[in-house]
Amino acid sequence: MTTIERPAQDDFLALAQPYRRELLAHCYRMLGSVHDAEDVLQETMVRAWRAYDRFEGRSSLRTWLHRIATTTCLTALEGRTRRPMPAGLHGTGSDPDDPLRDNPEIAWLEPVPDSAVCPDAGADPAAVVDARAGVRLAFVAALQHLPARQRAVLLLREVLQWKASEVAELLDTSVAAVNSALQRARAQIHEVAPSRDDAPEPLTAAQQDLLDRYVTAFQVKDVSGIVALLAADVAWEMPPYESWYRGRAHVAQHLEVRCPGGPGDFRLLPVGANGQPGFALYLRGEDGAFHPFCLQVLTFTGADVTHVATFLDLGLFPVFGLPASLTGTGTPARPTGSADTR
């Protein structure tokens, strides 16, 4: 009888390394937090390493790792509330004349850097498009409306393309129950987000030109110039504030009255987040240097910017590998850590 030799447990990390980004993306979709996803991924790898001597190879290593990651995510989600965006709490926009409603008690949805979850440049273009579609902000926000097990079913069936029988085995349920959960999840997602098939496309020359003009307008605090670049019915969200605005006029009033700084007080650095274009905004301090202020993720629908998510959590800057400050010329003063999760 021939004995099939498997790699030793010491080889596990090298064998698992190619799957880290897609595992992190899966955990992020489940949890809605890049910080939580990194923690759960580390726990997943530790669990898998400890159990690797019992891995029988009946499925691929990739499938086995996703099983462990999904189970770990479901455990982490027990007793937790969903991570919303402000518009997901209040269906109608806020009045810009009202005070901003700050709610730090809510665990808000977080953006994720493309560098952490998307394949490297030079990868199969179809894989890049699929990875970007799977983490786009609207899709991840919509997932937060689903109960944890429905979320897992939808992701395993439609993103990872598992068979219903494989999902049923993982969740210790029946194929009929999996198909029923998938149907309910699809219906819920359809109500709150566009189809996942609406994948982010590479920026056109016109879109890139618009982004360049957006940077220029923000850096001179030209509010009318900023809002002119947005869709007429643009949505502007700002977690941890529950307040959010719909339409150019409301956004303009917010930027004029609430947003600090004046001409020359902002610097913007481009970032890739959730497969979408974005910017890290730095605000001039009393010392003359520019310090982290917020991170924006922009959504294009065709040629129009229809959504701006402004995240005021400064803890996201090191996650995105962004400088801790900029000099007066807009150059980095001190580098921070990388967004690489290894």
Side-chain angles (χ1 to χ4, degrees):
M1 181 176 178
T2 302
T3 301
I4 299 176
E5 294 186 3
R6 292 190 303 103
Q9 193 167 11
D10 290 345
D11 298 326
F12 168 75
L13 292 179
L15 293 169
Q17 182 62 32
Y19 305 110
R20 288 186 68 93
R21 284 186 179 177
E22 64 177 270
L23 287 167
L24 181 65
H26 180 61
C27 294
Y28 170 69
R29 286 186 289 261
M30 285 288 296
L31 301 168
S33 162
V34 64
H35 293 98
D36 290 352
E38 289 171 344
D39 290 342
V40 167
L41 175 59
Q42 294 303 322
E43 184 175 350
T44 294
M45 301 303 272
V46 170
R47 289 184 179 187
W49 178 79
R50 288 174 176 169
Y52 188 61
D53 61 344
R54 301 190 298 278
F55 173 54
E56 298 176 354
R58 290 182 295 175
S59 64
S60 67
L61 178 63
R62 175 178 181 264
T63 297
W64 184 66
L65 290 170
H66 275 286
R67 288 176 62 92
I68 297 173
T70 302
T71 301
T72 307
C73 285
L74 289 171
T75 300
L77 286 167
E78 290 177 0
R80 295 191 188 184
T81 57
R82 67 185 178 93
R83 284 183 172 268
M85 288 290 285
L89 291 179
H90 309 288
T92 57
S94 306
D95 187 330
D97 287 327
D98 294 338
L100 287 174
R101 296 192 302 272
D102 183 4
N103 196 336
E105 299 302 317
I106 295 176
W108 297 98
L109 184 69
E110 296 174 353
V112 66
D114 288 352
S115 60
V117 293
C118 294
D120 287 326
D124 177 14
V128 175
V129 169
D130 193 56
R132 287 162 58 89
V135 294
R136 78 189 194 284
L137 202 59
F139 179 62
V140 179
L143 288 172
Q144 299 301 303
H145 290 264
L146 302 177
R149 285 173 67 87
Q150 276 190 27
R151 204 179 304 172
V153 168
L154 182 76
L155 293 174
L156 293 171
R157 291 283 285 122
E158 298 211 331
V159 177
L160 298 180
Q161 301 294 308
W162 281 25
K163 297 177 181 178
S165 57
E166 294 174 318
V167 179
E169 180 184 359
L170 171 60
L171 299 180
D172 193 22
T173 188
S174 66
V175 170
V178 167
N179 290 334
S180 177
L182 179 60
Q183 185 176 9
R184 293 195 302 273
R186 283 172 173 166
Q188 181 87 9
I189 288 287
H190 182 71
E191 290 182 2
V192 296
S195 167
R196 187 174 164 271
D197 293 333
D198 299 335
E201 298 289 340
L203 292 175
T204 65
Q207 289 171 335
Q208 186 59 61
D209 177 67
L210 184 151
L211 293 176
D212 292 342
R213 287 184 286 137
Y214 183 86
V215 170
T216 299
F218 231 113
Q219 291 188 160
V220 298
K221 195 67 180 299
D222 176 8
V223 171
S224 61
I226 294 169
V227 299
L229 298 170
L230 308 177
D233 62 346
V234 65
W236 186 283
E237 300 185 82
M238 308 163 292
Y241 292 108
E242 291 186 40
S243 306
W244 69 281
Y245 303 114
R246 171 75 72 183
R248 291 175 182 153
H250 284 183
V251 172
Q253 185 173 341
H254 163 71
L255 292 177
E256 289 279 12
V257 176
R258 307 284 185 191
C259 184
D265 285 339
F266 281 102
R267 292 289 182 270
L268 279 71
L269 295 183
V271 297
N274 294 80
Q276 301 169 224
F279 298 101
L281 275 69
Y282 290 77
L283 180 64
R284 190 196 303 270
E286 294 182 358
D287 59 357
F290 293 84
H291 302 282
F293 177 64
C294 69
L295 193 147
Q296 291 185 341
V297 181
L298 281 63
T299 300
F300 275 101
T301 302
D304 297 324
V305 173
T306 53
H307 185 268
V308 179
T310 299
F311 297 93
L312 294 158
D313 178 5
L314 301 186
L316 293 169
F317 275 66
V319 172
F320 277 75
L322 289 160
S325 65
L326 304 177
T327 66
T329 59
T331 57
R334 298 181 301 279
T336 64
S338 168
D340 192 341
T341 59
R342 289 175 292 176

